[in-house]
Amino acid sequence: MTDGEVLLLVFALIYLSECLVWLTPTSYALVAWWSRRHTVTRAAMHFSAVGRGIALLQPLPPFGSVFVGQAWPVSPLPDGLSLLSRETPNLGPAREGARRRDSAAWFTWETIQGFWADGSSVRIETPDPPPPVACATAAHAVQLARDLEVIRRADPDARSRVIDRILRRSFRARRAGRKAAFFRRATAPLRLNQCVLFVAVFVGLPLSYWRFHDEPRFFIALGGTWLMMALVAIDGFLLHRRFYPRLASDRWQHLILSLIFPHYTLRTLDTLSKGFLADCHPTAMAAALADEPLAMRFLAAVARDAHWPVPLVHPDGTAVSAADAFRLRSFQPGFLAAFGPQDRFAAIRPSDDNYPAHCPRCGTAYRAEGLPCDDCGGIRTVAARL
């Protein structure tokens, strides 16, 4: 293998490493592979040390796209904020409880001085600051901090209505669809330029090096490729400033890296798209962007998790109770109003007379009612409704 072939192989591997998206346990990636219809994906591999996992993206920029959605990682109530979430997805008693086992997880609004986004997390200003709240992207952190600040500043008697209004907005599938369509229109020239750059990097440059080696014509091709990189990087910079005006440091960092490393430039569209629907709930994104059968399966999973959450163990009992109150008072009614009765998404009931009971969360058949389902954290089985 020649030096040029080795260099191309190494660059291809580096580029493939950029075709991944990092997801928190409460976030989803909606990935399109060959069309505008998306699939709902969670992290295929999870790394406990960083609290995130990775999911695979479409490696060919002419085709796929990705939008990242995040479930509420906290639970706001009219009288305070719980740092635990019981809406979706379920993290399980061990992982959820271990996140902040030694710290308080409930704060009244009077003890909170403010919220601010710090990278891809939200910090809470209190006399004894808790650990930051992890978010899917920097755009999600900005959106969450803004929503929580609106709730905090609201009149105490109006906070319940403010929370419901924010939830209703996040559940609007038509709004998510309109925003996704606007993103595709606004970034159409950038996608075309990325396609040209992709061909230039992986086809044009290797062929010119194989044909001319270190002759001037190869360096002319190299310079032309860099000019295309600069065009894509500047176009991405301007779009990022339009989409995310508050993320100036991220914008400049990506611009500098894109002018130096082609693999950053080739994934500029993903950098723009990941947080574009930060104010939309994953259920609204799935209903707007995924095929109906896939969207219904995802909504069914969310509905079951919200109606039958895995039992949560945490020393701060007030925070646990508040998280359940948010699920019952705000999330479930908002979900019901947006997507219809939850019975539409109920687990399949067993029809075998030998198994007259089932787990209400996963639908596994059991021989008797009242038995604990080990797969769902000990939820008791209920009689089947055939």
Side-chain angles (χ1 to χ4, degrees):
M1 184 177 290
T2 64
D3 293 341
E5 292 171 340
V6 171
L7 180 61
L8 179 61
L9 176 61
V10 171
F11 176 74
L13 294 176
I14 295 175
Y15 171 74
L16 289 176
S17 70
E18 290 296 319
C19 301
L20 303 171
V21 58
W22 287 87
L23 300 174
T24 63
T26 58
S27 58
Y28 299 87
L30 276 83
V31 182
W33 291 92
W34 305 106
S35 66
R36 292 187 177 182
R37 307 312 298 174
H38 291 67
T39 59
V40 184
T41 305
R42 292 186 68 183
M45 298 175 59
H46 186 82
F47 301 92
S48 299
V50 295
R52 293 174 182 266
I54 55 176
L56 181 65
L57 303 180
Q58 165 63 271
L60 302 177
F63 300 103
S65 60
V66 58
F67 295 101
V68 175
Q70 175 177 279
W72 275 78
V74 295
S75 300
L77 288 177
D79 55 341
L81 178 70
S82 171
L83 301 188
L84 304 178
S85 175
R86 302 294 283 139
E87 57 114 328
T88 179
N90 278 295
L91 306 182
R95 188 189 296 176
E96 176 79 34
R99 288 192 304 168
R100 299 181 178 87
R101 183 174 294 137
D102 299 325
S103 60
W106 166 257
F107 298 90
T108 62
W109 294 113
E110 289 73 21
T111 62
I112 299 176
Q113 284 82 51
F115 303 90
W116 74 94
D118 182 13
S120 58
S121 61
V122 173
R123 295 192 177 273
I124 305 174
E125 185 178 356
T126 64
D128 184 17
V133 178
C135 296
T137 65
H140 286 87
V142 170
Q143 185 64 48
L144 179 63
R146 181 187 296 134
D147 288 341
L148 292 178
E149 186 66 19
V150 169
I151 297 172
R152 184 185 74 88
R153 291 177 178 271
D155 185 89
D157 295 333
R159 280 201 185 110
S160 180
R161 294 192 297 273
V162 172
I163 294 171
D164 291 340
R165 184 174 69 248
I166 292 174
L167 277 176
R168 287 197 302 269
R169 179 202 67 196
S170 69
F171 281 133
R172 290 173 185 164
R174 183 176 298 178
R175 182 171 179 270
R178 288 199 302 265
K179 290 191 66 174
F182 166 77
F183 180 87
R184 286 192 288 266
R185 292 193 303 270
T187 59
L190 174 62
R191 182 180 292 274
L192 178 61
N193 290 335
Q194 277 198 182
C195 295
V196 175
L197 179 61
F198 184 86
V199 175
V201 169
F202 285 102
V203 179
L205 279 182
L207 287 178
S208 63
Y209 181 78
W210 173 77
R211 175 66 177 81
F212 304 113
H213 293 286
D214 56 354
E215 294 181 16
R217 282 175 287 187
F218 166 71
F219 292 101
I220 292 174
L222 186 63
T225 303
W226 185 86
L227 289 177
M228 181 58 67
M229 286 174 53
L231 176 62
V232 172
I234 293 173
D235 194 9
F237 178 88
L238 296 176
L239 286 171
H240 195 284
R241 185 173 62 182
R242 179 183 178 185
F243 296 159
Y244 311 106
R246 298 182 61 180
L247 300 178
S249 60
D250 290 2
R251 180 161 54 249
W252 282 102
Q253 177 182 348
H254 185 75
L255 174 65
I256 294 172
L257 292 174
S258 296
L259 291 173
I260 301 174
F261 304 109
H263 56 281
Y264 278 98
T265 320
L266 290 170
R267 306 309 298 187
T268 297
L269 197 64
D270 292 343
T271 301
L272 294 172
S273 66
K274 289 175 186 176
F276 191 73
L277 300 181
D279 57 347
C280 300
H281 195 272
T283 53
M285 296 166 60
L289 303 177
D291 289 327
E292 184 175 357
L294 177 61
M296 290 298 293
R297 287 198 299 271
F298 177 64
L299 292 174
V302 173
R304 288 195 297 270
D305 280 358
H307 195 68
W308 300 98
V310 172
L312 173 61
V313 178
H314 193 280
D316 193 337
T318 304
V320 175
S321 299
D324 273 324
F326 172 75
R327 176 178 64 87
L328 294 171
R329 299 177 188 175
S330 299
F331 181 80
Q332 283 189 335
F335 184 92
L336 178 66
F339 304 109
Q342 292 185 4
D343 286 345
R344 294 170 55 203
F345 315 111
I348 298 175
R349 302 321 193 224
S351 58
D352 191 341
D353 293 338
N354 295 324
Y355 296 91
H358 71 283
C359 172
R361 181 173 179 270
C362 67
T364 302
Y366 281 83
R367 291 184 178 276
E369 181 180 356
L371 298 177
C373 178
D374 295 333
D375 293 336
C376 296
I379 292 177
R380 298 291 174 173
T381 59
V382 298
R385 293 182 298 166
L386 302 179

